[in-house]
């Protein structure tokens, strides 16, 4: 028996096996995973039923250690245990778009963690030190969670490999930390998304050295919002997409010539001033620019044909793209440049004639500037030499500001200058050699000194007019000045009263108090076609609503009605002429309110005229008529139909809109066969849905006041020649009382059955979430091609919302619910599923379960606006002959590439070229990272 080895008895082998399994089950990861399983509620218990966590669905191990947990988008409820940070080998953690609640556990110390996606749950708190020690982290998403207010702490700085950081609508407060994107902080950061939080303060200077490509800071909800200048953008050379809309940024748009990859630039709804730089207009890579609702000055920029432009409601000298300003306007802009284009000027500098601007006096005959009064304007910066361009200038007042620098020599060349007042500023140095008859007032300055030193007070003790000053003027002189000023004031008041009374007696013209243009009423102008429409929407959202006046019905129908916030009156005779006396051949559509007619003005402009039926003009009808005017004079957006004018003469009540030649969405969606139209393909439906979402988002949260539409439906969505959509029919719109649309208010039930939110139909109480419900129904209609209420269907399927929810439960039934005219590819089906899920959330029974419209915009834009490179022939690109040898082709390619070392990523999203991470693919996420780095806004 000497060399014979006996096999262990079977019972011993079984014991050893059990011992190994027991040891494995008692590993630290197994214990944590069992606790995690205990805290979660799964729709399908079989997912994590195996005794070994490494065999659980969507869990991956390496050497018996948990490295991936990917349970996103599975309808999971519950909380995350505090022990989660004991999974020290964890690399990927994805729980996005579930229904998880409670505070987050600390991730501190998880040095192997590369990615976590926690977005779109109901987490309530981020613990202190949450990011501490996450040295391998490259991507993090915290979007759309109702966290307690939190600051981005210094611990995030330890995630030095971070490329993608997204915390949209996540209750972030405070200022933007300087280490984000800085060379000594998160130098790898490429995508930063902090939209819809409570951030304040300015853009950090450290951004100038960053590698940030995507910068989303739009829609801050704090009182002061993000503010200050945006000059740092000019040094952010990697920028591709910039979203700063809905903040309080000031000053000019910087030179962006160094931004060689800039694709989208959105600064809507800020307080930016100054001319739009040529470098932005001529950018070779720019595809979309949004500048609406600022105070931008100079000439209206003319962007290239391939650039999508939204550029309303600014302070351009002329409302014609590319039209040059008057030379004197350009001089004033040059004067404002070293002052930082102050808002005090931008608010007042309207139009192309500076002679009407506050502080500017001109010769009435020549229109040459003769006096400039810029005292006490709070100006900072230097005195521009361009004042010398006003050769007829006699008096220049710059006193009591905070101006610095030296007085330009060019001012001494002014041939007619008699007075220059620079007193009580911080100017210094030697005065130019003025003519002997020029009086220069320089009290309170540092003229004669080499540098500025300490700036004096803008209203120092001893300055003229200050009580208790040390002025040598006698009391008699002061009394004389006061009495003289009072006398001049009384004379001016008397002249103003005389002018006003005389003006009120005129009956042939109406003038808007907010504009300098006269609108000649066609009845008195001698021409029925001679009309000028001043669109009130161009004055800026948030201006006061329209008010109405009427002289009452007359035998001739000649009463004139005025919208006092912007003249939009059109006579009935003009509208009769352009609609061929409201002929049947011009009818575009009709409804309970009346009939819509097509019209064409003498210059070829097409309009749509909504004529109310006289029987429909009850108090309710008149209220809706007035409401529509009031709303559309306060809001203006590229996806809201523009009101061009209105008419109230005798019993006539008419509204005039921009003409939308492709009609209603309902025609293209439900009646395309009868009306001989082509059915809408899915990509077109997606774009229409995004257009509507952006229009409604503007009404809810981006306009200066918050509105609820209350009647969203396909027949109120109009399409232009480019098939882009605009929301119409604002007769039921209501102003949300608290300014943000969250507080409900009671109102009479109005709208259309099938689109009414349950809480509104039952209680009559309204929030912006009733529009979100209606939008969800519209999404279902776009997916199915079926109406919200369809009497031709059986009772159990006539109501679209309930039927759609049933059909969405299983993959087989869901595909049967899709409009059969759609060409279903794998990509299209995936897109439809994402929109269907969004539709389900939007039409949730409880209002608090529905997302805001900004979320809908983000989701849809990630699907509708995916950028793809143009297909080119490789031989054309690299000039490579396919018959070349491999070394010849390689040398040719290297010459074309400039011998640069291109870094290719194995991951199309995260850019992680690690070989280890290419072995197991990350599951596709319909929303990309959080809300995707290519999606939209909110706009």
């Amino acid at each position: 028996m000497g060399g014979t080895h006996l096999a262990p008895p079977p019972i011993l082998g079984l014991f050893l096996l059990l011992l190994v399994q027991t040891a494995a089950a008692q590993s630290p990861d197994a214990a944590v995973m069992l606790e995690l399983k205990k805290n979660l509620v799964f729709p399908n218990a079989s997912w994590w039923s195996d005794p070994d966590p490494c065999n659980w669905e969507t869990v991956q191990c390496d050497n018996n250690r948990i490295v991936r947990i990917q349970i996103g988008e599975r309808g999971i409820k519950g909380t995350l245990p505090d022990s989660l940070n004991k999974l020290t080998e964890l690399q990927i953690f994805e729980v996005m778009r579930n229904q998880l609640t409670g505070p987050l556990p600390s991730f501190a110390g998880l040095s192997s963690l590369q990615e976590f996606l926690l977005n779109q749950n109901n987490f309530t708190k981020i613990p202190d030190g949450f990011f501490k020690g996450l040295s391998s982290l490259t991507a993090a998403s915290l979007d759309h969670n109702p966290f307690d207010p939190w600051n981005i702490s210094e611990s995030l700085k330890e995630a030095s490999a971070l490329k993608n950081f997204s915390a949209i609508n996540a209750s972030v407060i405070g200022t933007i930390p300087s280490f984000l994107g800085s060379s000594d902080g998160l130098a790898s950061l490429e995508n930063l998304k902090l939209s819809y939080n409570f951030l304040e303060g300015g853009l950090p200077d450290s951004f100038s050295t960053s590698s940030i490509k995507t910068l989303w800071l739009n829609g801050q909800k704090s009182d002061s919002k993000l503010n200050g200048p945006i000059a740092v953008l000019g040094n952010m050379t990697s920028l591709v997409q910039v979203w700063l809309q809905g903040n309080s940024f000031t000053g000019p748009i910087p030179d962006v010539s160094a931004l060689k990859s800039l694709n989208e630039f959105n600064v809507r709804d800020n307080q930016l001033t100054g001319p739009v730089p040529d470098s932005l207009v001529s950018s070779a890579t720019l595809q979309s620019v949004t500048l609406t609702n600022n105070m931008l000055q100079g000439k209206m920029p003319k962007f290239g044909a391939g650039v999508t432009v939204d550029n309303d409601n600014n302070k351009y000298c002329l409302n014609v793209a590319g039209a040059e300003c008057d030379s004197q306007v350009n001089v004033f802009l040059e004067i404002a440049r070293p002052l930082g284009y102050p808002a005090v000027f931008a608010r007042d500098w309207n139009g192309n004639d500076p002679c009407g601007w506050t502080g500017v006096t001109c010769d009435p005959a020549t229109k040459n500037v003769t006096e400039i009064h810029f005292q006490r304007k709070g100006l900072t910066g230097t005195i521009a030499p361009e004042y010398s361009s006003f050769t007829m200038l006699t008096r220049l007042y710059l006193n009591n500001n905070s101006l610095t620098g030296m007085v330009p020599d060019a001012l001494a060349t002014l041939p007619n200058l008699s007075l220059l007042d620079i007193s009580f500023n911080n100017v210094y140095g030697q005065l130019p050699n003025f003519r002997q008859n020029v009086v220069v007032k320089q009290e309170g300055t540092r003229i004669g000194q080499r540098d500025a030193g300490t700036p004096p007070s803008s209203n120092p003790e001893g300055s003229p007019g200050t009580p208790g000053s040390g002025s040598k003027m006698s009391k008699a002189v002061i009394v004389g000045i006061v009495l003289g000023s009072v006398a001049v004031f009384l004379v001016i008041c008397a002249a103003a009263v005389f002018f006003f009374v005389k003006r009120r007696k005129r009956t042939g013209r109406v003038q808007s108090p907010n504009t300098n243009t006269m609108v000649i009423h066609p009845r008195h102008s001698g021409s029925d076609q001679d009309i000028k429409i001043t669109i009130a929407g161009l004055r800026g959202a948030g201006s006061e609503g329209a008010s109405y006046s009427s002289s009452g019905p007359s035998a001739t129908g000649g009463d004139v009605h005025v919208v006092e916030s912007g003249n939009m009156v059109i006579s009935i005779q003009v509208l009769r002429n352009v609609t061929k006396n409201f002929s049947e051949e011009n009818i575009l559509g009709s409804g309970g309110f009346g009939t819509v007619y097509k019209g064409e003005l003498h210059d070829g402009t097409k309009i749509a005229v909504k004529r109310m039926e006289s029987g429909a003009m009850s108090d309710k009808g008149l209220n809706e008529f007035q409401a529509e005017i009031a709303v559309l004079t306060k809001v203006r957006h590229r996806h809201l139909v523009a009101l061009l004018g209105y008419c109230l003469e005798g019993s006539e009540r008419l509204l005039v809109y921009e003409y939308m030649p492709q009609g209603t969405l309902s025609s293209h969606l439900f009646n395309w066969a009868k009306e001989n139209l082509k059915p809408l393909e899915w990509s077109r439906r997606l774009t229409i849905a995004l257009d509507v979402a952006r229009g409604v988002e503007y009404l809810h949260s981006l306009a200066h006041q918050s509105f609820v539409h209350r009647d969203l439906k396909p027949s109120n969505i109009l399409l232009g020649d480019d098939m882009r959509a605009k929301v119409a029919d604002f007769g039921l719109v209501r102003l949300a009382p608290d300014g943000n649309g969250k507080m409900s208010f009671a109102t009479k039930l109005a709208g259309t059955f099938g689109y009414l939110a349950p809480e509104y139909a039952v209680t009559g109480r309204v929030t912006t979430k009733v529009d979100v419900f209606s939008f969800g129904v519209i999404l279902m209609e776009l997916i199915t091609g079926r109406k919200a209420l369809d009497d031709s269907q059986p009772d159990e399927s006539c109501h679209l919302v309930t039927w759609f929810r049933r059909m969405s439960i299983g993959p087989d039934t869901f595909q049967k619910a899709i409009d059969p005219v759609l060409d279903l590819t794998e990509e299209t089906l995936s897109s439809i599923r994402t929109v269907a899920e969004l539709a389900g959330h939007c039409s949730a029974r409880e209002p608090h379960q529905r997302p805001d419209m900004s979320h809908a915009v983000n989701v849809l834009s990630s699907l509708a606006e995916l950028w793809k490179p143009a297909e080119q022939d490789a031989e054309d690109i690299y000039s490579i002959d396919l018959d070349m040898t491999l070394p010849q082709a390689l040398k040719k390619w290297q010459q074309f590439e400039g011998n640069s070392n291109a870094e290719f990523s194995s991951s199309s999203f995260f850019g992680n070229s690690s070989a280890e991470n290419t072995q197991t693919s990350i599951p596709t996420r319909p929303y990309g990272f959080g809300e995707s780095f290519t999606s939209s806004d909110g706009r």
Side-chain angles (χ1 to χ4, degrees):
M1 297 180 58
T4 304
H5 296 279
L6 297 176
I11 188 67
L12 179 60
L14 181 61
F15 173 76
L16 292 175
L17 179 62
L18 289 174
L19 184 65
V20 170
Q21 290 180 341
T22 301
Q26 292 177 347
S27 69
D29 287 1
V32 174
M33 293 301 289
L34 290 174
E35 185 177 2
L36 175 61
K37 176 183 177 181
K38 181 180 178 181
N39 280 30
L40 301 181
V41 178
F42 292 86
N44 188 337
S46 65
W47 292 343
W48 284 11
S49 58
D50 195 281
D52 184 0
C54 291
N55 293 328
W56 291 354
E57 189 174 339
T58 67
V59 174
Q60 182 179 332
C61 292
D62 186 5
N63 293 327
N64 205 34
R65 298 301 305 275
I66 303 295
V67 294
R68 289 176 179 249
I69 301 173
Q70 295 171 289
I71 53 175
E73 306 177 74
R74 288 176 171 259
I76 298 172
K77 300 179 181 179
T79 60
L80 299 180
D82 291 335
S83 59
L84 203 63
N85 65 350
K86 294 180 180 179
L87 300 176
T88 55
E89 298 299 317
L90 185 64
Q91 298 174 14
I92 306 294
F93 185 68
E94 297 177 358
V95 295
M96 66 282 186
R97 301 182 67 213
N98 282 301
Q99 300 173 45
L100 301 178
T101 58
L104 288 174
S106 176
F107 282 7
L110 293 180
S111 58
S112 298
L113 188 63
Q114 299 170 12
E115 170 198 332
F116 66 75
L117 302 184
L118 308 173
N119 49 290
Q120 288 153 292
N121 280 284
N122 292 300
F123 294 120
T124 56
K125 186 176 181 179
I126 296 180
D128 295 336
F130 177 78
F131 302 99
K132 192 173 181 61
L134 302 185
S135 56
S136 299
L137 188 67
T138 61
S141 177
L142 298 161
D143 302 342
H144 302 293
N145 279 291
F147 295 121
D148 293 339
W150 62 287
N151 297 90
I152 299 176
S153 68
E154 285 284 330
S155 66
L156 180 61
K157 192 175 180 179
E158 298 187 25
S160 56
L162 191 63
K163 289 186 176 181
N164 305 316
F165 183 69
S166 187
I168 299 170
N169 191 26
S171 304
V172 185
I173 61 173
T175 59
I176 300 174
S178 60
F179 63 78
L180 289 179
S182 67
S183 56
D184 60 345
L186 301 183
S188 300
L189 191 64
E190 295 181 354
N191 301 290
L192 178 62
K193 298 187 174 184
L194 298 173
S195 308
Y196 303 109
N197 284 297
F198 295 87
L199 294 170
E200 299 176 318
L203 301 180
D205 293 338
S206 58
F207 273 5
S208 61
T209 60
S210 73
S211 300
I212 293 175
K213 297 178 180 179
T214 302
L215 182 63
W216 288 10
L217 301 173
N218 52 296
Q220 297 304 317
K221 296 178 280 188
S222 52
D223 291 339
S224 61
K225 302 189 176 184
L226 289 172
N227 51 63
I230 61 172
V232 70
L233 295 182
N235 297 322
M236 299 176 69
T237 56
S238 299
L239 279 176
V240 175
Q241 189 178 53
V242 178
W243 287 3
L244 302 180
Q245 65 268 28
N247 282 294
S248 298
F249 289 113
T250 56
I253 298 173
D255 176 16
V256 295
S257 55
L259 278 57
K260 303 300 184 183
S261 302
L262 185 63
N263 180 271
E264 183 173 358
F265 188 78
N266 191 334
V267 292
R268 183 186 65 197
D269 299 310
N270 280 284
Q271 300 169 34
L272 299 176
T273 56
V276 178
D278 291 338
S279 56
L280 182 64
V281 179
S282 60
S283 171
T285 57
L286 191 66
Q287 294 186 359
S288 175
V289 60
T290 305
L291 307 174
T292 293
N293 290 340
N294 281 285
M295 294 185 287
L296 297 170
Q297 301 161 279
K299 71 176 181 180
M300 177 182 285
K302 186 174 184 179
F303 292 90
V307 180
T308 301
V309 180
D310 191 345
N311 190 17
D312 295 328
N313 194 25
N314 278 291
K315 296 287 187 175
Y316 302 124
C317 60
L318 296 166
N319 284 321
V320 179
E324 295 293 337
C325 299
D326 180 84
S327 60
Q328 292 194 133
V329 172
N330 289 331
V331 172
F332 275 110
L333 289 173
E334 286 300 309
I335 289 170
R337 182 170 55 84
L339 305 176
Y341 299 104
V344 67
F345 286 159
R347 279 190 287 266
D348 181 63
W349 290 5
N350 291 313
N352 201 31
D353 181 8
C355 295
W357 297 349
T358 301
V360 179
T361 302
C362 295
D363 180 85
T366 63
K367 293 291 185 178
N368 289 322
V369 174
T370 58
E371 292 188 16
I372 296 176
H373 295 257
F374 288 166
Q375 64 269 35
R376 292 183 173 85
K377 295 285 188 183
L379 305 178
T380 59
T382 59
I383 301 173
E386 282 77 12
Y387 283 107
S388 62
S389 299
F390 296 127
T391 57
M392 300 303 294
L393 187 65
T394 61
R395 294 171 179 266
L396 176 57
Y397 295 89
L398 301 173
N399 51 292
N400 296 87
N401 286 295
S402 299
L403 300 174
T404 59
M406 301 175 66
V407 178
D409 290 338
L411 268 60
T413 66
L414 285 166
N416 296 290
L417 188 67
S418 61
L419 173 65
L420 171 64
D421 191 346
I422 55 171
S423 55
F424 304 105
N425 282 286
N426 200 29
V427 293
Y428 62 92
Q430 297 299 316
L431 284 175
N433 189 20
F434 288 100
R435 289 177 288 106
Q436 289 185 352
N437 62 338
V438 177
V439 176
V440 180
K441 295 186 176 183
Q442 54 181 319
E443 300 92 339
T445 68
R446 296 186 178 271
I447 294 296
Q449 299 182 18
R450 291 188 176 183
D451 54 41
T454 304
S457 169
S458 61
N459 190 19
E461 184 180 357
S463 64
T466 304
S469 72
S471 172
K472 295 181 180 180
M473 289 191 299
S474 67
K475 293 182 179 180
V477 173
I478 295 175
V479 172
I481 291 174
V482 172
L483 293 177
S485 300
V486 172
V488 171
F489 176 77
L490 293 175
V491 170
I492 292 173
C493 290
V497 171
F498 172 79
F499 173 77
F500 178 75
V501 172
K502 185 175 181 180
R503 180 176 174 273
R504 286 291 296 261
K505 292 180 180 180
R506 299 175 185 174
T507 57
R509 58 184 179 178
V510 180
Q511 185 177 20
S512 165
N514 293 329
T515 66
N516 292 323
T517 57
M518 287 288 183
V519 181
I520 308 300
H521 198 284
R523 187 179 63 258
H524 303 288
S525 67
S527 168
D528 287 339
Q529 295 294 335
D530 185 15
I531 67 172
K532 178 179 178 62
I533 303 173
T534 304
I535 302 175
L538 293 176
R539 297 173 295 104
S543 56
E544 292 303 317
S547 61
Y548 312 89
S549 62
S550 171
S551 60
S554 66
T556 61
D559 53 327
V560 179
H561 302 260
V562 182
V563 179
E564 293 183 355
S565 63
N567 203 304
M568 305 169 69
V569 179
I570 304 178
S571 81
I572 185 63
Q573 188 55 48
V574 168
L575 298 181
R576 289 187 190 278
N577 290 345
V578 300
T579 60
K580 298 180 182 178
N581 199 22
F582 303 112
S583 65
E584 289 188 6
E585 65 183 80
N586 280 38
I587 292 178
L588 296 172
S590 59
F593 58 83
T595 307
V596 179
Y597 298 86
K598 179 173 67 175
E600 185 171 340
L601 302 178
H602 68 289
D603 63 354
T605 302
K606 291 183 172 62
I607 59 175
V609 182
K610 182 194 288 189
R611 187 186 192 192
M612 306 296 187
E613 295 289 350
S614 57
M617 288 312 295
S618 59
D619 289 342
K620 176 178 178 294
L622 183 58
N623 288 339
E624 291 185 13
F625 178 86
Q626 293 179 342
E628 187 140 12
I629 299 175
V631 170
L632 289 176
T633 54
K634 290 188 177 188
V635 298
R636 186 165 181 82
H637 189 272
R638 60 177 167 170
H639 296 306
L640 302 180
V641 173
L643 180 70
L644 303 181
Y646 77 99
C647 174
L648 296 87
E649 295 197 15
S651 60
E652 292 284 2
R653 301 289 184 270
L654 302 102
L655 296 172
V656 182
Y657 301 94
E658 61 178 315
Y659 177 59
M660 301 293 287
Q662 293 298 327
T664 67
L665 172 60
S666 58
S667 295
H668 290 265
L669 199 55
F670 308 130
N671 302 320
W672 58 270
K674 293 180 181 178
E675 299 184 24
N676 198 25
L677 301 170
K678 290 183 178 180
L680 297 172
E681 65 274 17
W682 177 245
S683 61
R684 179 63 62 191
R685 299 186 193 200
L686 260 182
T687 302
I688 290 171
L690 177 58
D691 290 346
V692 175
R694 281 178 166 157
V696 179
E697 179 198 24
Y698 176 80
L699 287 175
H700 286 185
S701 58
L702 299 179
H704 287 257
Q705 292 175 287
S706 183
F707 297 93
V708 186
H709 188 281
R710 293 203 302 164
D711 200 17
L712 280 180
K713 56 184 178 181
S715 59
N716 286 340
I717 298 168
L718 303 182
L719 305 175
D721 269 330
D722 57 357
M723 296 301 287
R724 300 303 297 266
K726 298 191 179 191
V727 178
D729 201 337
F730 297 86
L732 299 182
V733 168
R734 291 294 179 268
L735 180 66
D738 63 342
N740 60 20
K742 293 181 180 178
M743 185 183 297
S744 68
F745 61 98
T747 181
K748 292 182 179 179
L749 189 63
T752 305
F753 286 107
Y755 303 91
L756 293 180
E759 75 279 7
Y760 180 38
V762 173
T763 67
R765 300 198 67 82
V766 171
T767 68
T768 53
K769 294 302 178 73
V770 304
D771 285 346
V772 176
F773 183 92
S774 302
F775 181 71
V777 179
I778 293 172
L779 291 179
M780 293 178 184
E781 291 177 314
L782 289 168
I783 293 171
T784 64
R786 294 179 52 166
K787 296 180 180 179
L789 285 177
D790 191 346
D791 294 337
S792 65
Q793 298 292 332
D795 290 344
E796 65 274 9
S797 58
C798 67
H799 191 273
L800 178 61
V801 174
T802 54
W803 176 79
F804 187 83
R805 284 174 179 162
R806 290 199 307 271
M807 298 295 284
S808 300
I809 294 175
D812 296 334
T813 55
F814 173 73
Q815 195 155 338
K816 292 178 182 178
I818 299 173
D819 193 339
V821 304
L822 292 175
D823 182 16
L824 290 183
T825 63
E826 184 176 346
E827 181 181 3
T828 300
L829 186 58
S830 174
S831 173
I832 293 175
R833 287 188 185 279
T834 301
V835 176
E837 186 167 0
L838 175 63
H841 292 315
C842 289
S843 60
R845 183 171 185 81
E846 298 298 329
H848 68 271
Q849 294 179 331
R850 301 172 204 150
D852 294 333
M853 287 305 298
S854 59
H855 172 70
V857 169
N858 287 337
V859 173
L860 293 171
S861 60
S862 69
L863 299 173
E865 296 183 346
L866 290 176
W867 179 85
K868 293 182 180 179
E871 293 184 2
Q872 300 184 54
D873 189 284
E875 184 176 349
D876 292 339
I877 298 175
Y878 302 112
S879 301
I880 295 176
D881 186 346
L882 297 180
D883 293 329
M884 289 181 180
T885 65
L886 181 59
Q888 289 173 330
L890 179 60
K891 183 177 181 181
K892 188 76 173 180
W893 180 81
Q894 288 174 332
Q895 290 174 347
F896 180 84
E897 291 293 312
N899 293 315
S900 61
N901 294 321
E903 180 182 351
F904 294 96
S905 168
S906 61
S907 170
S908 62
F909 182 79
F910 290 107
N912 191 334
S913 58
S914 169
E916 294 178 1
N917 290 332
T918 61
Q919 296 174 1
T920 304
S921 62
I922 299 173
T924 302
R925 293 178 290 279
Y927 288 34
F929 178 75
E931 294 305 314
S932 152
F933 287 106
T934 57
S935 74
S936 118
D937 328 54
R939 34 267 50 181

